[in-house]
Amino acid sequence: MFNNNNLYDDVEDLLLNDHNYTVTSLVTQIESIINGNIQPSENIISYLVDTKILEDISNIIEYEHIPVFFGKTLRDIKLVVIDDNLREHEIFVKYNNFRKLVITSVAMPHSEIQDQEYNSLQDIVMACKMHVNRLSAYFTELQSIDRMCTVMEPINPSFKDDYRRIRLDDRVWLHLEVSPEGLGTNIYLVGQSEKWNSKLQAGLLSWDHDKDIVENISRVFDLTSLSSSSMNSLISLTKESAPLHTNVCSICLCTEMQDNPSVPLPLCLNANCGVYFHRYCLYQWLVALDGGRIPAFGVASGSCPSCFKPTTCSEKDN
Amino acid sequence: MAAMSPSERRLQKELMSLMREPPPGVTVDGDQASQNLQLWTVHMEGVPGTLYEGEKFVLQFKFTSKYPFDSPEVTFIGNNIPVHPHVYSNGHICLSILTDDWSPALSVQSVCLSIVSMLSSCKEKKRPPDNSLYVKTCNKNPKKTKWWYHDDSV
């Protein structure tokens, strides 16, 4: 908007050359320099976006009541589309050029709506509204899985991920994918267990697609405890303390530690061990093994609590 | 509720998984244990096809606040103490993982399984050879006993 270099030069010239100014005359002169450097306002629009897009934005705010947000530049636009079930969907749009808009990101499985160019935001809103309402069953199923089950993966489940891995017990998860129509597909167990597997095999034959997925799962695996609402206090306690990872420390049986931001890692030197420990827990144990003596150089050694092979553990993370 | 200590958290988790998925023939008295996390009572049935088939035993687990760095104190209690070469008539058990070979990666469940397998592999029901002397002279806490683990076969 300003030609900054010119402005500076002009003011500098003024200050260097004219030493007989009064404050008033100086201010007047600077003012005139600034005014002379501001360019006509049409240039502002053409530099950033075209007027068509500004109209477009004001239309969808005014008539569609769709909130519009801008990202790092005015060309990065976020729209929030609300579907028939009042779920909010964020649509990220990039304004590439006049009448050339693309959807860069939506929290939905990939679809054709992301592969085309649009003339206007209005067109994008139309396409997205139709699309989200087509996917209605898909969203509903995922929402109810996320609400009712302990989802181990994805770590931050969203509508973008069409799969869920649900905890059945400490060693076994159920993998399933949700089709755009909201049906469970590609269902299998992660981890081995005869008990769960025989239930699954029997259950797949009687899977009832007219019922929702959570209902099917809890019937197939006779889980009442799958539902967080019916869990007793003991179970909800662990649910809260062992949220998203399976790699619990085998000493404290937790992932997170109080007062100590540490993640369980396979710390044993024996490559075949692979059992996860918090550094703090393993260190404490090796020190205790040695009669509680604080080891030299902060490195404790002894036998691994799990594989019993010799190992070491330093007090501090390197 | 006050914040749980690491030892309480771990016991809570173990209790929950033992109640949900107990090993065959093992049941924990969940109500009692949740009232006092440091004292558990575990019921154990003799495995069918072994010398202890049809028998019922009761195990007591006592934990200190240092658990799992400190091993649990495990004894048979009640009227029926199994007759076994490693089990004294006062309920004390001679089992290395309960003292020298304890590791924090072990758990109530793995201790129960060890005891079940110790009983199941027994060929002849008899008391340890030094039973009467030991029972007269031992400390109440079996962890105070200096055990000699001489026999790996049973």
Side-chain angles (χ1 to χ4, degrees):
Chain A
M1 284 184 277
F2 298 124
N3 193 336
N4 282 330
N5 287 338
N6 279 351
L7 184 67
Y8 285 131
D9 291 347
D10 290 352
V11 174
E12 212 169 293
D13 285 346
L14 172 79
L15 293 176
L16 289 176
N17 301 333
D18 186 356
H19 293 283
N20 305 320
Y21 47 74
T22 62
V23 175
T24 328
S25 70
L26 183 67
V27 170
T28 323
Q29 287 192 58
I30 292 177
E31 206 179 356
S32 72
I33 290 170
I34 291 175
N35 283 337
N37 274 287
I38 294 178
Q39 283 160 26
S41 58
E42 287 94 302
N43 290 4
I44 299 178
I45 292 171
S46 62
Y47 179 69
L48 295 165
V49 282
D50 62 83
T51 43
K52 171 82 176 57
I53 189 80
L54 291 178
E55 258 168 52
D56 199 12
I57 290 172
S58 80
N59 276 341
I60 63 165
I61 295 175
E62 198 170 336
Y63 300 115
E64 308 262 359
H65 304 287
I66 288 184
V68 177
F69 303 87
F70 293 97
K72 277 189 187 136
T73 72
L74 288 181
R75 290 164 179 264
D76 299 302
I77 300 164
K78 181 179 94 177
L79 309 171
V80 179
V81 174
I82 296 168
D83 69 18
D84 294 345
N85 294 307
L86 302 177
R87 276 181 289 255
E88 294 188 349
H89 303 275
E90 295 186 335
I91 320 281
F92 292 88
V93 175
K94 178 99 185 158
Y95 173 85
N96 278 335
N97 215 325
F98 181 64
R99 287 183 178 275
K100 288 201 164 85
L101 290 103
V102 288
I103 296 177
T104 52
S105 162
V106 278
M108 289 172 222
H110 191 89
S111 80
E112 72 283 359
I113 65 162
Q114 277 161 277
D115 299 331
Q116 41 184 301
E117 242 175 27
Y118 296 86
N119 279 332
S120 68
L121 288 173
Q122 195 93 35
D123 293 352
I124 290 182
V125 169
M126 291 259 291
C128 286
K129 273 199 165 165
M130 273 175 62
H131 190 60
V132 293
N133 286 326
R134 260 203 307 273
L135 288 176
S136 180
Y138 169 85
F139 298 130
T140 309
E141 292 293 340
L142 285 177
Q143 266 183 332
S144 90
I145 292 174
D146 292 344
R147 203 172 48 237
M148 306 291 281
C149 304
T150 310
V151 174
M152 307 303 285
E153 282 180 8
I155 288 181
N156 294 310
S158 78
F159 292 139
K160 196 175 191 94
D161 310 291
D162 64 353
Y163 74 98
R164 292 294 185 265
R165 290 187 163 185
I166 297 161
R167 183 183 187 283
L168 295 177
D169 66 28
D170 288 338
R171 289 170 299 277
V172 183
W173 302 350
L174 177 72
H175 172 104
L176 68 83
E177 288 160 30
V178 180
S179 74
E181 298 77 31
L183 304 177
T185 63
N186 202 10
I187 304 167
Y188 58 85
L189 292 179
V190 184
Q192 299 213 320
S193 153
E194 237 162 76
K195 179 183 94 181
W196 295 121
N197 196 36
S198 56
K199 288 188 176 188
L200 178 64
Q201 293 315 323
L204 284 177
L205 298 173
S206 59
W207 195 277
D208 185 351
H209 281 303
D210 291 333
K211 297 213 167 105
D212 62 31
I213 293 175
V214 173
E215 224 171 295
N216 272 299
I217 295 175
S218 50
R219 187 182 51 78
V220 166
F221 297 105
D222 331 297
L223 297 172
T224 41
S225 62
L226 201 65
S227 130
S228 48
S229 53
S230 68
M231 279 184 178
N232 62 34
S233 60
L234 278 176
I235 293 170
S236 57
L237 241 168
T238 36
K239 196 174 176 231
E240 152 207 276
S241 50
L244 304 159
H245 305 271
T246 45
N247 297 327
V248 298
C249 165
S250 35
I251 294 178
C252 66
L253 301 184
C254 297
T255 42
E256 284 170 39
M257 299 181 74
Q258 278 167 350
D259 322 318
N260 190 343
S262 165
V263 179
L265 292 170
L267 291 174
C268 177
L269 299 182
N270 171 20
N272 293 327
C273 177
V275 170
Y276 283 71
F277 301 104
H278 284 119
R279 185 173 292 283
Y280 176 83
C281 294
L282 181 56
Y283 177 81
Q284 290 296 314
W285 169 246
L286 294 177
V287 169
L289 261 191
D290 197 28
R293 273 186 293 274
I294 304 298
F297 310 113
V299 179
S301 56
S303 70
C304 166
S306 182
C307 69
F308 301 105
K309 296 256 165 58
T311 193
T312 62
C313 178
S314 60
E315 186 180 12
K316 300 250 156 59
D317 201 352
N318 295 319
Chain B
M1 194 176 89
M4 268 194 281
S5 70
S7 133
E8 288 172 311
R9 274 164 88 95
R10 162 147 176 171
L11 284 170
Q12 188 91 70
K13 290 200 158 195
E14 280 199 51
L15 178 60
M16 194 202 81
S17 80
L18 200 59
M19 287 202 305
R20 262 197 313 179
E21 280 182 84
V26 173
T27 39
V28 60
D29 183 338
D31 292 338
Q32 189 215 15
S34 33
Q35 277 174 20
N36 179 2
L37 270 179
Q38 297 198 324
L39 184 71
W40 297 19
T41 306
V42 174
H43 299 267
M44 191 174 268
E45 287 167 23
V47 178
T50 71
L51 295 180
Y52 302 93
E53 176 166 354
E55 288 189 63
K56 288 192 163 125
F57 309 110
V58 183
L59 278 168
Q60 185 183 65
F61 282 70
K62 283 188 186 170
F63 306 91
T64 67
S65 59
K66 289 192 193 132
Y67 180 80
F69 292 103
D70 211 0
S71 64
E73 181 191 320
V74 187
T75 49
F76 281 105
I77 56 168
N79 302 328
N80 193 24
I81 307 289
V83 178
H84 184 279
H86 293 174
V87 181
Y88 290 90
S89 53
N90 62 352
H92 287 194
I93 307 163
C94 176
L95 183 65
S96 65
I97 59 161
L98 294 178
T99 47
D100 295 7
D101 290 344
W102 169 255
S103 137
L106 295 169
S107 60
V108 175
Q109 171 161 356
S110 49
V111 168
C112 288
L113 289 172
S114 291
I115 294 175
V116 168
S117 94
M118 179 186 89
L119 293 180
S120 301
S121 58
C122 181
K123 303 277 191 314
E124 187 191 353
K125 278 182 165 186
K126 59 175 181 192
R127 289 287 176 212
D130 56 340
N131 185 56
S132 47
L133 180 65
Y134 176 80
V135 172
K136 264 184 253 165
T137 56
C138 72
N139 189 293
K140 241 172 60 190
N141 181 352
K143 286 172 70 185
K144 297 270 178 14
T145 304
K146 188 79 199 115
W147 297 100
W148 289 62
Y149 305 107
H150 39 271
D151 179 7
D152 291 336
S153 67
V154 188

